[in-house]
Amino acid sequence: MARFSGPMAAEASTVVEVLPFFMFLLILMVAVNAHVDDPRTGPSRFSTDEIDFHTELPLLQVDHKLKHQYRSVLSVRESTSFSRGDGLILSQDGEALIEFKRNVQDSYEELSGWNSGNLSHLCAWKGITCSEAGRVLSLSLGDLGLSGGLSPYIGNLSFLQVLELPGNYINGSIPEELGRLKDLETLDLSFNLISGSIPASISRCLKLREIKLPENLITGTIPHALGQLRILDSVDLERNRLNGSIPAALGNCSKLKYLSFADNELTGAIPYELGMLQQLQVLTIENNYLMSLPTSLGNCSALLGLYLNSNNLRGKFPIELQNIQNLTRLDLSDNLLSGEIPPYSSLTLARVNLTGNNLTMMGRIPEAFFNCSSLSWLLLEDTGIGGRLSPEIDIKLPNLQFFTASHNSITGPLPSGMRNLSNLLVLHLAGNRLTGSIHSLNLGTNSSLLGVNLSDNDLSGSIEAVEIIDSHLEYLDLAKNKLVGSVQGMKFEANSSLFYFDLSYNKLTGSLEGIKVGANSSIEIFHMSNNNLTGSLDGIKFEANSSLLSLDLSKNSLIGSFPSGVTQVNSLKVLSLADNQIGGDISAELYSGAAGECSLVILSLARNNFTGNIPPSLGQCVQLRVLDISYNGFSGLLSDSSNYLGQLVVLQASGNEFEGDIPDWIWQLEQLQILDLSENNFRGSIPANFSGMLHALRKETVLVPSSSNSSSQNLDYVNDDDGKYGFSVEFGTAIKYKGLPLTYTYILSNFAFISLSANRLFGTIPTEIGELTLLRGLNLSRNELIGEIPTSVGQITSLESLDLSSNSLEGSIPWAIYEMNDLAVLRLSRNNLSGHIPSGDPDIQTNTRFTFEAFFPGNAGLCGPPSPKRCEVNDSSAVNPVSSPLISESSNSFLDEWLSLPAFGIGFVLGYLTLGLILIFSGR
């Protein structure tokens, strides 16, 4: 290789130094010219506006000296472009916007003015704001109904500062190219349908101040790289599907003022580093799965609102939060915090919610917050606190508006000072052990109270002294107390704002004479069940245009006939008159309104003295879901009601005098979950067609025991979408299940029950009954059924109660019954069954699964435990045909005995000959 020296060496050195510079310019000019000549080539990878010397340059390795030279040349090129309104850069911005439009669907033609023919006027396009030099600074297109995805070309709007597309239907992922917008300050894609993860490239937008991505479908984790955005002041990622942990790197974003990750699926601990955010004003991370709360949050001195509710936070109540002197709202509800609430001192704290924890409180309730004179909301429901209410509550907390402490262990009377809380709007102390008089509470004209729930306590006093009509109350629940007095003459006129009124489970007396629900009354829920009310229902006055939704007068001592006026109330959805002494023939009186105007969803007339047929007018109540007419004197046939009772979930008609066949339409009800026709005079066979119930038993919205741990849901007849009531209005129907009377309320779960007992049904049990696989209770006892118990019963794997007693069934008990793990109650007595009682293993002479009473008396042919009668050894019923491999041997024992001897002889001879041949050929 030739070597140079002297001047030639110096000249060569200069060429080598300058050569990369000219090579760079050449590549740059070729790339730009190609971009201008062919706009279809897509986003330019080497657009001059995209080159950022704080990051690596693609394809080129340059030293620090050359960076300065390149930047000088680029600045000249860029200034030249700015001076040309229709030049290169304008073309780049226009192309990016046209590509953006091409990617979205503009159903309302909001972007009709965007087209490539008027690029020179793009700064006048809708949603576009430009700089004086004609560069696009803002793209703002909120609430325009746009759909489709985000074009990666958006990364070519290199001077973009604001990108706002909220309230549209944008889907797809956030393009990685967004990270090229080095001047971006605001990113708002809230309320869209964006999916995928948050690109880490967004951390290269170092000027970002606001990130708003709530109400989308974003998944994945929160990028740790967000910690590089040092001037970020607002991050809103709530109501997405983010998982993983909260990045500790966010503690580096020292200018953060607002941070929300609410309603996601985040786990782990809240990072200790968040306590370094001295300017943070709002922190909301509710509705996640976070486990621990750092004490460092007490260092966030600027914090105004802290919302950490509905997580899995554990440990003691954080005393360090007292250090936040400006805190106004604190929500730690629905967590697993425990221990004592320490005395809290704050002049600014206005709202506190600690509901759903396991806390205690020093002194009387709520003395721990007596040094918070600005407190207006104090929510302590279901926290486990106990003790008495402080008599100084009105003095120490004069601004209290909402005080809820239901479902705790609060004792003693309502303090007299409660009457002086002039700002109090809502008082909930239900489910405690309060005693004393209700008169300690001011419900009169001078009271500001809008809602009171003191149910399920031991309060006493007369209801007559409670001022209701002239109050401002909207709801009043005093159920399950010891209130006395007469309700006669109570009125709910137009001047009353009361919509919910519940005095159930008290000791109220008197008749309903004079009670009026006026045409302009606001009353919607009127419940007085489980009292000592007397007299006729004719005394209560209803008007057709009232807003009444639910009327429950069950379990009183009311007499007389069915109230004709109530049938005129078109809005009525729930009517329960059960457990009274009301009677008479209602065949023509049940509903007198116009066809199609009946709104009844639940009707319970159980345990009264009604007679006659099911009234034909019931056919106008097409929304009926629950019909309970059990234990009356109804008679006749169950006529064809399939056309108007098609929505029934519960049909209770037990304890009447119905006769004839069970009509086929009942088995075709596709919503039916509970059917009880027991204790009537039905005849005929059980049909084999359960097609309707098969459809119903695949649903999940059914009636289950009120003692269930399942979550209760509001009934359809109470529309609580706006949270107006704040509680469920439940209605139950009673059936006998596992031998016990249970009340069922509308709850989300799988449950189905059929009872046809105590009738005159004959024939066999259809094998198709095994297709009702979600059935939980089946009672066919006290009929005239014959034949064998079908083995298909074993297919009902969820069955918990089976009663086939007092029939004429014969044959053996299917072994499949023993293998039904959920079966807790079995009654097969008083039949003609025979054979081995299933026990799992014929050699085991004990049976702890079912008691003696499950099979006896009757069934003289049964043997094996728990019966003292032992089974014969060759009893074919003594072995489980499914679980035992010996069934084939015992069933053909005679044939096996005669075939076994010849087989043994032949096998012996063949074996001997084979051994001899082996010895001969082996040379022995």
Side-chain angles (χ1 to χ4, degrees):
M1 179 180 295
R3 296 179 179 272
F4 297 98
S5 60
M8 292 184 65
E11 184 177 349
S13 175
T14 302
V15 171
V16 170
E17 288 183 2
V18 177
L19 183 60
F21 177 70
F22 285 104
M23 287 179 62
F24 175 78
L25 287 181
L26 180 61
I27 293 173
L28 186 61
M29 292 174 65
V30 170
V32 170
N33 287 332
H35 177 83
V36 174
D37 292 339
D38 188 3
R40 297 170 297 174
T41 56
S44 173
R45 291 178 55 88
F46 303 105
S47 169
T48 55
D49 294 315
E50 297 172 9
I51 298 177
D52 184 353
F53 288 104
H54 295 286
T55 59
E56 59 178 321
L57 283 169
L59 304 181
L60 295 175
Q61 299 294 327
V62 296
D63 59 22
H64 180 74
K65 178 180 178 181
L66 290 178
K67 280 185 180 181
H68 179 74
Q69 294 174 321
Y70 297 159
R71 186 178 292 113
S72 300
V73 173
L74 290 175
S75 62
V76 173
R77 181 67 179 267
E78 190 171 271
S79 61
T80 304
S81 299
F82 270 136
S83 64
R84 298 168 53 206
D86 56 349
L88 170 65
I89 302 303
L90 184 58
S91 175
Q92 175 181 307
D93 283 1
E95 179 188 15
L97 294 176
I98 293 299
E99 288 297 328
F100 171 86
K101 178 184 176 181
R102 185 174 292 132
N103 253 44
V104 302
Q105 285 78 54
D106 182 17
S107 302
Y108 301 103
E109 298 186 355
E110 299 285 351
L111 307 183
S112 58
W114 287 31
N115 58 75
S116 56
N118 66 344
L119 287 180
S120 59
H121 298 91
L122 67 82
C123 292
W125 290 0
K126 184 167 187 173
I128 302 299
T129 303
C130 293
S131 66
E132 292 182 0
R135 301 306 307 274
V136 175
L137 301 180
S138 175
L139 173 57
S140 183
L141 299 171
D143 300 299
L144 297 183
L146 302 177
S147 58
L150 286 176
S151 168
Y153 277 77
I154 205 166
N156 278 356
L157 297 173
S158 52
F159 277 76
L160 195 66
Q161 298 176 4
V162 176
L163 176 58
E164 294 177 327
L165 304 172
N168 286 291
Y169 302 96
I170 304 296
N171 54 38
S173 59
I174 300 173
E176 289 280 346
E177 288 78 1
L178 207 65
R180 292 152 60 177
L181 302 178
K182 63 181 184 300
D183 289 333
L184 192 64
E185 299 179 4
T186 298
L187 173 63
D188 186 355
L189 303 178
S190 56
F191 300 96
N192 278 285
L193 301 173
I194 294 173
S195 57
S197 60
I198 301 173
S201 63
I202 199 174
S203 63
R204 286 155 41 193
C205 303
L206 299 178
K207 295 183 180 180
L208 258 180
R209 297 183 179 274
E210 290 183 290
I211 299 177
K212 297 179 180 180
L213 304 175
E215 290 278 5
N216 279 288
L217 305 172
I218 300 173
T219 56
T221 60
I222 301 171
H224 288 260
L226 290 184
Q228 300 174 23
L229 303 176
R230 301 304 174 87
I231 64 173
L232 199 61
D233 64 16
S234 177
V235 176
D236 188 352
L237 305 179
E238 64 186 24
R239 292 187 292 280
N240 279 286
R241 299 174 182 176
L242 297 168
N243 54 40
S245 59
I246 299 174
L250 288 174
N252 297 326
C253 303
S254 57
K255 296 188 180 298
L256 264 177
K257 295 182 176 64
Y258 182 91
L259 186 59
S260 177
F261 301 138
D263 297 287
N264 280 285
E265 300 170 10
L266 301 174
T267 56
I270 298 175
Y272 183 89
E273 289 76 3
L274 293 189
M276 302 165 55
L277 301 176
Q278 298 293 309
Q279 298 185 36
L280 190 63
Q281 297 179 5
V282 176
L283 175 61
T284 170
I285 322 179
E286 66 215 35
N287 289 305
N288 282 282
Y289 303 101
L290 301 170
M291 301 288 289
S292 63
L293 179 63
T295 59
S296 63
L297 288 183
N299 299 326
C300 298
S301 55
L303 205 60
L304 301 176
L306 180 59
Y307 305 92
L308 305 178
N309 51 295
S310 302
N311 279 284
N312 294 320
L313 299 177
R314 290 169 166 79
K316 303 294 183 181
F317 183 88
I319 184 65
E320 292 80 9
L321 296 183
Q322 291 195 59
N323 300 332
I324 310 175
Q325 293 300 310
N326 296 318
L327 192 66
T328 62
R329 300 185 180 182
L330 173 64
D331 193 343
L332 300 177
S333 62
D334 297 315
N335 280 290
L336 301 172
L337 297 174
S338 59
E340 189 173 72
I341 302 174
Y344 206 96
S345 179
S346 172
L347 298 177
T348 60
L349 194 60
R351 298 185 180 183
V352 173
N353 188 356
L354 302 179
T355 294
N357 284 283
N358 186 24
L359 304 168
T360 58
M361 187 175 291
M362 292 180 59
R364 294 193 173 186
I365 301 170
E367 290 182 359
F369 295 96
F370 271 7
N371 290 325
C372 304
S373 57
S374 298
L375 199 63
S376 60
W377 288 36
L378 182 55
L379 312 183
L380 302 172
E381 294 190 0
D382 197 22
T383 55
I385 60 175
R388 291 175 170 247
L389 292 169
S390 172
E392 299 182 282
I393 188 171
D394 59 319
I395 300 174
K396 298 295 186 178
L397 299 175
N399 297 306
L400 202 58
Q401 295 179 339
F402 291 79
F403 180 41
T404 67
S406 297
H407 309 297
N408 287 297
S409 300
I410 302 174
T411 59
L414 291 169
S416 58
M418 196 78 74
R419 297 176 63 91
N420 301 323
L421 288 170
S422 58
N423 295 311
L424 192 62
L425 299 176
V426 171
L427 176 64
H428 288 184
L429 295 172
N432 282 286
R433 290 180 284 173
L434 295 171
T435 57
S437 175
I438 189 68
H439 303 149
S440 300
L441 194 62
N442 177 22
L443 301 178
T445 308
N446 297 325
S447 171
S448 59
L449 276 169
L450 299 177
V452 173
N453 187 353
L454 298 177
S455 62
D456 200 10
N457 280 288
D458 292 319
L459 297 171
S460 58
S462 175
I463 192 64
E464 299 174 49
V466 177
E467 303 177 55
I468 298 175
I469 300 304
D470 294 327
S471 70
H472 302 290
L473 279 175
E474 295 184 0
Y475 64 89
L476 176 63
D477 191 346
L478 301 177
K480 298 182 181 179
N481 279 288
K482 298 178 179 178
L483 303 179
V484 297
S486 175
V487 298
Q488 188 168 345
M490 193 173 291
K491 297 181 180 180
F492 301 94
E493 303 283 0
N495 61 337
S496 172
S497 57
L498 194 66
F499 70 83
Y500 186 101
F501 184 70
D502 193 347
L503 296 180
S504 302
Y505 294 91
N506 279 287
K507 299 179 179 180
L508 304 177
T509 58
S511 73
L512 299 175
E513 185 71 32
I515 291 183
K516 184 177 181 182
V517 180
N520 297 316
S521 170
S522 60
I523 193 71
E524 298 179 6
I525 311 297
F526 186 83
H527 291 178
M528 284 193 179
S529 65
N530 290 272
N531 280 288
N532 299 318
L533 303 180
T534 57
S536 171
L537 283 175
D538 292 336
I540 189 168
K541 305 298 181 183
F542 298 97
E543 298 186 19
N545 295 326
S546 73
S547 55
L548 187 65
L549 293 176
S550 177
L551 175 64
D552 187 356
L553 300 175
S554 61
K555 296 186 179 179
N556 281 287
S557 299
L558 300 172
I559 60 174
S561 59
F562 187 85
S564 58
V566 74
T567 62
Q568 301 175 12
V569 182
N570 295 328
S571 61
L572 191 64
K573 292 182 177 291
V574 177
L575 175 60
S576 178
L577 303 177
D579 297 287
N580 281 287
Q581 300 171 33
I582 309 167
D585 189 337
I586 63 169
S587 298
E589 296 182 1
L590 183 61
Y591 181 72
S592 59
E597 292 183 359
C598 177
S599 300
L600 276 176
V601 176
I602 294 179
L603 174 62
S604 178
L605 305 177
R607 292 169 292 281
N608 279 286
N609 301 318
F610 294 114
T611 59
N613 298 322
I614 293 180
S617 60
L618 193 63
Q620 299 178 28
C621 302
V622 295
Q623 302 178 46
L624 200 63
R625 304 292 300 276
V626 176
L627 176 61
D628 189 352
I629 54 175
S630 57
Y631 296 99
N632 280 282
F634 290 109
S635 59
L637 302 175
L638 278 177
S639 58
D640 188 358
S641 302
S642 57
N643 291 332
Y644 57 83
L645 296 180
Q647 299 298 314
L648 274 182
V649 176
V650 176
L651 175 56
Q652 278 270 81
S654 59
N656 284 286
E657 299 175 13
F658 291 114
E659 57 188 16
D661 293 338
I662 299 176
D664 288 339
W665 67 265
I666 288 181
W667 306 106
Q668 307 308 315
L669 294 173
E670 294 188 351
Q671 307 294 328
L672 197 63
Q673 300 285 340
I674 291 181
L675 173 65
D676 191 350
L677 302 179
S678 62
E679 299 181 58
N680 279 284
N681 295 315
F682 289 112
R683 291 186 59 83
S685 60
I686 302 173
N689 187 357
F690 301 108
S691 61
M693 293 198 72
L694 282 173
H695 181 81
L697 291 180
R698 292 189 178 100
K699 294 183 177 296
E700 296 185 351
T701 304
V702 293
L703 296 172
V704 299
S706 55
S707 59
S708 168
N709 292 326
S710 302
S711 299
S712 177
Q713 68 171 8
N714 290 338
L715 291 177
D716 292 340
Y717 64 85
V718 176
N719 185 352
D720 194 28
D721 293 340
D722 57 358
K724 178 179 180 182
Y725 299 106
F727 37 72
S728 298
V729 182
E730 296 181 348
F731 175 83
T733 182
I735 64 172
K736 286 189 176 181
Y737 176 65
K738 300 184 183 179
L740 299 174
L742 289 179
T743 298
Y744 288 73
T745 50
Y746 212 62
I747 294 176
L748 191 67
S749 182
N750 284 326
F751 187 87
F753 176 87
I754 296 176
S755 178
L756 305 178
S757 67
N759 281 285
R760 303 174 65 185
L761 302 176
F762 53 78
T764 61
I765 301 174
T767 58
E768 288 82 358
I769 204 161
E771 297 176 8
L772 304 178
T773 54
L774 294 182
L775 202 62
R776 301 272 289 277
L778 176 62
N779 189 347
L780 303 179
S781 65
R782 294 185 288 165
N783 280 288
E784 301 169 10
L785 300 174
I786 60 174
E788 297 185 351
I789 301 174
T791 57
S792 61
V793 170
Q795 299 172 17
I796 314 176
T797 55
S798 58
L799 199 65
E800 298 178 5
S801 176
L802 176 62
D803 191 346
L804 304 178
S805 62
S806 300
N807 281 286
S808 298
L809 300 173
E810 57 188 12
S812 60
I813 302 173
W815 279 87
I817 288 181
Y818 186 85
E819 296 175 346
M820 298 168 68
N821 296 327
D822 293 336
L823 191 62
V825 174
L826 176 65
R827 291 189 175 93
L828 302 177
S829 61
R830 294 183 172 86
N831 280 288
N832 300 318
L833 301 172
S834 59
H836 197 287
I837 297 175
S839 61
D841 189 337
D843 296 328
I844 298 177
Q845 295 301 310
T846 59
N847 189 334
T848 58
R849 177 76 184 277
F850 303 113
T851 63
F852 182 88
E853 289 75 15
F855 310 99
F856 305 101
N859 302 317
L862 290 177
C863 61
S867 167
K869 180 180 178 180
R870 298 180 64 87
C871 296
E872 298 295 332
V873 176
N874 61 352
D875 184 1
S876 61
S877 68
V879 183
N880 185 346
V882 177
S883 61
S884 175
L886 303 177
I887 184 65
S888 60
E889 297 178 15
S890 62
S891 62
N892 297 293
S893 58
F894 179 81
L895 183 62
D896 293 344
E897 182 178 353
W898 283 99
L899 291 177
S900 60
L901 290 175
F904 177 80
I906 294 172
F908 180 83
V909 172
L910 290 175
Y912 186 83
L913 291 176
T914 301
L915 180 61
L917 291 173
I918 292 174
L919 292 174
I920 291 171
F921 285 103
S922 63
R924 298 183 182 182

